[in-house]
Amino acid sequence: MFGLLVLMCFGDKLDEKKIKELEDVQRSLLINSRRFNVLNFWPRVTKFVFRKKWQEFWQLRNQQTSVYMSLIRERRTIKEGRLSKAKEDHDHQEYVLAYVDTLFDMQLPVEKRKLNDHEIMSLCTEFLAAGTDSTSTTLQWVMANLVKYPNIQAKVFDEIKGVVGIDYKGEIKEDDLQKMPYLKAVILESLRRHPPAHFVVPHAVTEDMVLNGYLIPMNASINFMVAEMGWDGKVWEDPMEFKPERFMKKKISEEEEEEEENDQGKVLFDITGSKEIKMMPFGVGRRICPGLGLALLHLEYFVANLLWSFQWKAVDGDEINLEEKQEFTVVMKIPLQAHIIPHSKD
Ligand code: HEM
């Protein structure tokens, strides 16, 4: 997942060694983020009290800056080179835009200036940190449930088979995924039952306000019980059960409205919460996760291809344990172990 996002962030011409360096420094910062949190309080004082911790922090931070800066500069040179070559050759060969390219061109509307390299680094760090663990943790939860419930796994496999045909030996493509509502329902059910973030990023209001009779003071840190919302028995039937069917539109009788016919068997759920909020694994409103569409696409793509290539089985005598553990995201306490057996499609 990290490799894929690095590719989307910095484009295709990357040195493997640099990707590895980037991964190492990003992981160290993530793992140590809770330890370093204390440095946010009274930096003037903690500079002396936690001198060693500050040194450690700055060492990692300098390492991070050096790796990111060289990647940013390299990409800028590649971009400028390719664009001027394309002009010279009147060559309209497609240039695949990377996330960082969009930042080079961005103009801040109020300050009327471009982003500097440190701001670009900060946004690239956010892109990689926010998108990697959240998606890979969710993927692990989805696969764990598919191993635990072989009947659900078989249903997804049958759906894929129905779309591509049993003789198909290639990769499941993005267009095929649009025709797999049950697969989408499995992913939504996993996000409801095992959201990788049990809270969103803290929010605040810019002036005092009263909501449902409660005073929300200006600048108070506000958060939402994301996991509890998805497990609320007043909203969800058997909330702790893994039932993807709850996201499928119920089949209706033939006599019912003809216009509803097209919706039968489809997933009809608004994950953005624009009409009502029954769960919010990506947050809702203005600060909703901007990677939502990308995350769902990646999850559907990986799950479909992992199931199309292999049958996933529990290791003999092993119960799939769905206990949770808080790391950067909420992960499986005992990571998934499974036997994978290639499907014979001959
Ligand atoms: C299953 C995968 C993911 C989940 C569950 C998830 C969840 C979330 C949540 C709960 C928030 C905070 C929303 C709030 O504060 O109200 C968030 C923010 C964010 N996410 Fe995701 N995310 C996922 C994947 C991704 C991906 C793939 C990317 C980009 C590559 C991404 C980029 C971001 C960014 C940049 C923010 C901060 C937005 C802001 O500050 O306004 N996320 N995400």
Side-chain angles (χ1 to χ4, degrees):
M1 201 61 72
F2 186 76
L4 180 58
L5 288 184
V6 170
L7 205 85
M8 291 181 67
C9 189
F10 291 109
D12 51 357
K13 288 261 151 75
L14 279 186
D15 170 8
E16 282 288 327
K17 206 173 132 246
K18 284 231 172 75
I19 299 181
K20 183 77 184 74
E21 274 171 17
L22 193 63
E23 187 171 7
D24 290 346
V25 72
Q26 191 92 6
R27 186 131 294 275
S28 303
L29 279 166
L30 212 65
I31 289 169
N32 288 299
S33 60
R34 275 216 232 140
R35 279 183 58 236
F36 290 146
N37 238 349
V38 67
L39 307 179
N40 282 322
F41 300 107
W42 289 329
R44 276 191 209 169
V45 179
T46 57
K47 234 183 232 170
F48 298 103
V49 181
F50 301 113
R51 238 188 46 217
K52 269 206 162 152
K53 213 173 258 183
W54 269 106
Q55 274 171 359
E56 221 186 304
F57 170 75
W58 277 116
Q59 204 182 343
L60 268 176
R61 174 82 189 159
N62 290 340
Q63 235 176 300
Q64 182 195 32
T65 309
S66 124
V67 181
Y68 271 92
M69 287 303 168
S70 79
L71 280 170
I72 290 169
R73 282 175 199 139
E74 235 169 73
R75 180 67 188 180
R76 188 179 274 123
T77 313
I78 290 175
K79 186 175 182 229
E80 282 163 5
R82 278 207 210 161
L83 287 181
S84 68
K85 188 167 184 311
K87 247 189 218 159
E88 264 172 36
D89 300 352
H90 302 290
D91 171 10
H92 295 295
Q93 203 188 346
E94 205 180 327
Y95 174 77
V96 181
L97 211 65
Y99 174 61
V100 73
D101 297 332
T102 66
L103 303 177
F104 293 146
D105 298 336
M106 189 178 280
Q107 179 89 8
L108 295 177
V110 178
E111 295 167 50
K112 296 204 175 11
R113 65 168 177 88
K114 292 198 165 180
L115 295 168
N116 65 40
D117 281 1
H118 281 274
E119 289 162 336
I120 292 179
M121 173 178 110
S122 188
L123 287 164
C124 291
T125 313
E126 184 192 43
F127 181 89
L128 296 177
T132 305
D133 281 36
S134 49
T135 314
S136 54
T137 301
T138 307
L139 181 60
Q140 187 170 174
W141 282 116
V142 177
M143 295 315 292
N145 278 287
L146 292 175
V147 174
K148 192 171 177 78
Y149 304 109
N151 56 326
I152 299 179
Q153 184 178 153
K155 225 172 143 179
V156 181
F157 183 78
D158 285 347
E159 182 177 68
I160 302 172
K161 189 169 71 181
V163 172
V164 296
I166 188 63
D167 296 328
Y168 182 68
K169 293 196 174 63
E171 165 201 340
I172 310 297
K173 308 245 168 55
E174 193 175 337
D175 285 348
D176 302 321
L177 300 172
Q178 310 312 317
K179 300 170 204 147
M180 299 176 187
Y182 190 69
L183 169 68
K184 179 162 257 157
V186 165
I187 285 156
L188 289 176
E189 178 64 343
S190 190
L191 285 163
R192 180 193 70 80
R193 185 62 190 77
H194 309 282
H198 282 203
F199 295 95
V200 295
V201 177
H203 289 233
V205 287
T206 48
E207 52 189 70
D208 285 4
M209 64 178 297
V210 176
L211 194 66
N212 274 357
Y214 293 96
L215 170 69
I216 316 278
M218 182 173 91
N219 289 339
S221 179
I222 307 293
N223 218 309
F224 300 84
M225 313 274 285
V226 172
E228 307 290 332
M229 286 169 82
W231 303 340
D232 185 351
K234 290 195 224 97
V235 177
W236 302 95
E237 204 181 298
D238 300 329
M240 301 320 269
E241 300 297 311
F242 193 81
K243 287 186 182 172
E245 284 72 17
R246 64 174 96 239
F247 288 100
M248 304 290 286
K249 165 105 172 135
K250 302 264 179 310
K251 297 264 181 210
I252 51 174
S253 67
E254 271 172 31
E255 295 85 57
E256 281 178 86
E257 306 268 330
E258 211 173 272
E259 71 230 33
E260 284 200 33
E261 221 162 68
N262 292 335
D263 292 337
Q264 290 182 34
K266 283 190 182 167
V267 176
L268 289 182
F269 187 77
D270 173 24
I271 190 84
T272 64
S274 54
K275 289 190 203 103
E276 58 172 351
I277 302 169
K278 290 169 87 176
M279 64 189 230
M280 45 183 280
F282 293 100
V284 291
R286 267 198 300 193
R287 297 302 288 268
I288 195 169
C289 170
L292 180 158
L294 182 70
L296 291 177
L297 172 65
H298 282 167
L299 287 166
E300 289 171 28
Y301 175 85
F302 280 114
V303 174
N305 280 291
L306 289 174
L307 286 196
W308 188 236
S309 300
F310 303 102
Q311 187 185 9
W312 290 65
K313 281 191 163 178
V315 176
D316 280 346
D318 258 15
E319 260 288 300
I320 301 296
N321 184 330
L322 297 180
E323 275 177 273
E324 299 173 337
K325 186 171 94 177
Q326 176 71 57
E327 284 189 354
F328 180 63
T329 51
V330 178
V331 299
M332 292 182 74
K333 189 169 171 188
I334 301 166
L336 174 65
Q337 289 208 9
H339 280 307
I340 54 171
I341 304 142
H343 281 298
S344 96
K345 296 183 208 110
D346 293 326

